[in-house]
Amino acid sequence: MSDVLRVGNASGFYGDRSTAWREMLDGGELDVLTGDYLAELTMLILGRDRLRDPALGYAKTFLRQLEGCLGTALDRGVRIVTNAGGLNPAGLAAAIGSLADRLGLTVRVGYVEGDALARPDALTANAYLGAYGIAACLDAGADVVVTGRVTDASLVVGPAVARFGWGRDDLDALAGATVAGHLLECGAQVTGGNFSFFTELPDGGRRPGFPVAELHPDGSCVVTKHPGTGGAVTVETVTAQLLYEVGGPAYLGPDVVTRLDTVELGADGPDRVRVSGVRGTPPPGTLKVGVNNLGGFRNSMTFVLCGLDIPAKAALVRSQVEAAVGTEGLEFTLARTDHADAVDTEAASALLHVHLRDGDKTRAGRAFSAAAVELALASYPGCTLTTLPGDAAPYGVFTADAVPQDAVPHVAVLPSGERVAIPPPARTAGPPDEPATAADPPEAEPPPAAPADRPTRRAPLGELVGARSGDKGGDANLGVWARTDATWSWLRGWLTTDRLRELLPETAPLTVERYELPNLRAVNFVVRGLLGQGVAASTRFDPQAKALGELLRSRVVDLPAELAPGPGSPAGGTTPGEGR
């Protein structure tokens, strides 16, 4: 048996590139091919699907993708592991069996269940399971393993457990594989997708390939991609994905707590980054539970305000809409996209977004949108809207809580049909002691004070740093990394929580946590409550906080004059042989 396990990824979300499964199977050698389809919003979508048809609740697109490549995977001995089972892994497993019968193929399918919790007051309630159910299915000879809600990283950790035989106490190895899984889970984001310095990529970021991790028995790995595919794998593209949707240095999981502050990255040749040094500690005694509920109904209308007196025009619309439908549940957002002395209508216009959320579908529906349209000839000069009157749509609310690990029936259903109970870890620990306040945590080595007369230049912050941001329920994370050691020395002292609030005023009234990751030359912020009741309920212009990092990078600040954009490879990473 090889001491290297090659795991690829062909899906980072429900709706990712439909051809990726074929590209990954044909592009190079693999042992396992994974597909991640689940997110908090996806679980809500699947919950609504299952309300309409109890036989649904899984990612239907996966079946269509599998139809064209199941035979290839079987012929090449590539095993498939996916969480596309969603709310109905047994249903998807049965559908795969039917597909194989229709194609004249013999396939052994295992699946993992037990994550769905009985919550009569919830649309969906699912615990985040770990990797050992997946490993049990693979150990029993499964060609395809389907899961419901497991942690995203478990899709990679499970095959590694099956290959290398790690036990529950092999915490460092489990932590290393968890990092590998986190790097792969979002597909092309680690190969140059959504990368701050995309203009430096060899293909300009047009079509990044999907990633591969070469895992070793000690949990270390090399992240790479198939030869000839687009994008790039550099220390910086890997850093960006490491910072995505994380909190403090202790990355909690059901099998291990992974210390992100121990991750070491180093270039290992073209499009190869070695990930090593990861340490793990015992997992918590509880599992995270994601809960989705229907919160009511919402509708939106957008008014175009052109030319002069923009605030007065917005105020007039507000008073007229409130008089027509009442004030409860209304939200007005004025986007000042207008430019003075513009030569065309679009450049001279601001947008007034009007949202209404209500438990009454009728009030949030035509009663609201028709009232907005009725103002067309009876409001401000130049009144026009970008939206037509329409009905309200239901929206969801996401919350998270926790249950004891031993209260969840983690079950692996083997290809034979045998049901195997997966016991929880025998050794657990309490939550790590990390700062959870609005203040900056104490520094182990305080950064040197900047000279008072240090020359500066006015320029966008993004000339010196990269960033990546994302959502976790109602919270957002924003990771910022420096491109050089000199920039890191400045950044860690300069970018405080107070500075972040100054640069991003919408964070000012919120709790902001700040964490340093020196090995990555990075600082990570968690902004509590920025997204309200979660993505599905948010009326924010950027409801998933995906652009928050780029907003920060665009702010013009006083940069130290001696700091220049970091040198690197043509892809914007560290040069071959340079590590951190």
Side-chain angles (χ1 to χ4, degrees):
M1 180 179 292
S2 171
D3 62 355
V4 175
L5 176 69
R6 296 162 297 186
V7 182
N9 171 281
S11 176
F13 69 100
Y14 192 9
D16 208 344
R17 188 187 305 170
S18 62
T19 58
W21 287 89
R22 172 53 62 188
E23 292 170 17
M24 290 301 289
L25 285 169
D26 291 346
E29 295 295 320
L30 291 173
D31 300 304
V32 178
L33 187 53
T34 65
D36 182 5
Y37 288 79
L38 300 186
E40 293 157 1
L41 180 60
T42 311
M43 299 299 279
L44 175 69
I45 293 169
L46 296 178
R48 291 176 58 189
D49 283 350
R50 207 167 191 195
L51 280 179
R52 293 191 297 270
D53 183 351
L56 296 179
Y58 55 79
K60 299 183 291 294
T61 55
F62 171 70
L63 271 180
R64 294 197 292 271
Q65 292 169 302
L66 191 63
E67 182 170 2
C69 60
L70 177 59
T72 302
L74 293 171
D75 288 344
R76 297 178 183 172
V78 177
R79 304 168 92 175
I80 292 173
V81 180
T82 179
N83 61 14
L87 301 175
N88 189 7
L92 179 56
I96 293 170
S98 297
L99 172 64
D101 290 342
R102 179 162 57 83
L103 297 175
L105 301 172
T106 299
V107 63
R108 296 165 295 184
V109 182
Y111 62 94
V112 177
E113 63 181 17
D115 58 295
L117 304 182
R119 298 275 182 95
D121 58 341
L123 176 64
T124 69
N126 298 80
Y128 287 67
L129 300 179
Y132 280 84
I134 295 170
C137 291
L138 293 171
D139 285 339
D143 303 305
V144 179
V145 180
V146 172
T147 77
R149 180 71 278 187
V150 297
T151 65
D152 299 340
S154 291
L155 301 179
V156 172
V157 180
V161 168
R163 169 61 68 89
F164 301 124
W166 297 332
R168 292 284 193 175
D169 289 330
D170 290 315
L171 296 173
D172 291 347
L174 291 168
T178 297
V179 170
H182 177 61
L183 291 173
L184 262 61
E185 70 186 53
C186 289
Q189 274 198 169
V190 76
T191 58
N194 301 346
F195 182 53
S196 291
F197 306 105
F198 69 97
T199 58
E200 300 176 9
L201 297 172
D203 63 348
R206 285 184 291 275
R207 191 178 175 85
F210 276 66
V212 177
E214 300 171 355
L215 283 100
H216 297 270
D218 64 353
S220 65
C221 73
V222 171
V223 179
T224 184
K225 62 187 183 69
H226 284 330
T229 56
V233 178
T234 71
V235 168
E236 286 200 275
T237 68
V238 172
T239 296
Q241 178 56 25
L242 272 175
L243 295 173
Y244 183 64
E245 294 183 346
V246 297
Y251 187 69
L252 273 63
D255 299 317
V256 64
V257 172
T258 300
R259 295 297 312 191
L260 297 179
D261 50 357
T262 64
V263 178
E264 297 176 8
L265 304 179
D268 193 55
D271 288 320
R272 292 176 63 84
V273 171
R274 182 168 297 280
V275 184
S276 61
V278 187
R279 303 299 300 271
T281 60
T286 58
L287 296 176
K288 176 183 174 181
V289 178
V291 181
N292 279 292
N293 279 295
L294 293 177
F297 300 89
R298 71 177 179 185
N299 208 345
S300 299
M301 299 293 287
T302 297
F303 291 83
V304 179
L305 315 177
C306 185
L308 305 177
D309 303 319
I310 298 296
K313 290 172 179 175
L316 175 58
V317 172
R318 179 169 190 150
S319 66
Q320 290 176 310
V321 172
E322 288 179 343
V325 301
T327 61
E328 187 175 353
L330 277 175
E331 181 180 333
F332 296 83
T333 304
L334 178 60
R336 293 302 302 262
T337 52
D338 53 304
H339 300 270
D341 195 27
V343 297
D344 61 72
T345 303
E346 187 170 2
S349 296
L351 299 176
L352 178 63
H353 305 290
V354 186
H355 309 281
L356 177 60
R357 289 186 290 196
D358 199 277
D360 181 356
K361 184 177 182 179
T362 300
R363 178 173 180 260
R366 291 277 176 169
F368 162 69
S369 59
V373 171
E374 287 172 1
L375 298 178
L377 303 180
S379 189
Y380 61 90
C383 179
T384 186
L385 294 92
T386 65
T387 42
L388 297 173
D391 289 328
Y395 70 89
V397 174
F398 178 85
T399 57
D401 58 33
V403 296
Q405 289 229 31
D406 58 10
V408 177
H410 188 173
V411 176
V413 183
L414 308 184
S416 65
E418 179 186 356
R419 300 176 63 84
V420 176
I422 305 299
R427 184 159 65 112
T428 61
D433 183 19
E434 290 188 343
T437 69
D440 296 322
E443 307 290 357
E445 297 179 7
D453 58 348
R454 187 178 200 173
T456 61
R457 59 187 176 87
R458 295 287 286 175
L461 177 61
E463 283 193 10
L464 298 183
V465 304
R468 179 159 289 170
S469 54
D471 62 289
K472 277 296 180 186
D475 304 330
N477 100 286
L478 168 54
V480 184
W481 77 89
R483 306 195 79 183
T484 67
D485 289 340
T487 299
W488 169 238
S489 179
W490 165 77
L491 180 71
R492 64 186 292 256
W494 181 84
L495 191 54
T496 62
T497 54
D498 286 341
R499 183 87 65 183
L500 185 79
R501 291 188 175 99
E502 175 188 333
L503 296 174
L504 302 178
E506 66 178 324
T507 68
L510 303 173
T511 296
V512 179
E513 300 164 16
R514 180 183 184 275
Y515 304 97
E516 289 190 6
L517 297 168
N519 284 7
L520 305 179
R521 297 192 300 228
V523 59
N524 186 49
F525 296 93
V526 179
V527 185
R528 300 293 182 189
L530 182 69
L531 307 181
Q533 294 178 299
V535 171
S538 179
T539 56
R540 191 174 177 274
F541 181 72
D542 176 24
Q544 293 179 286
K546 303 297 187 187
L548 191 66
E550 289 303 294
L551 174 61
L552 178 66
R553 293 182 67 242
S554 74
R555 295 306 312 271
V556 177
V557 300
D558 292 319
L559 300 178
E562 76 273 16
L563 295 181
S569 69
T574 51
T575 53
E578 180 185 354
R580 291 195 181 164

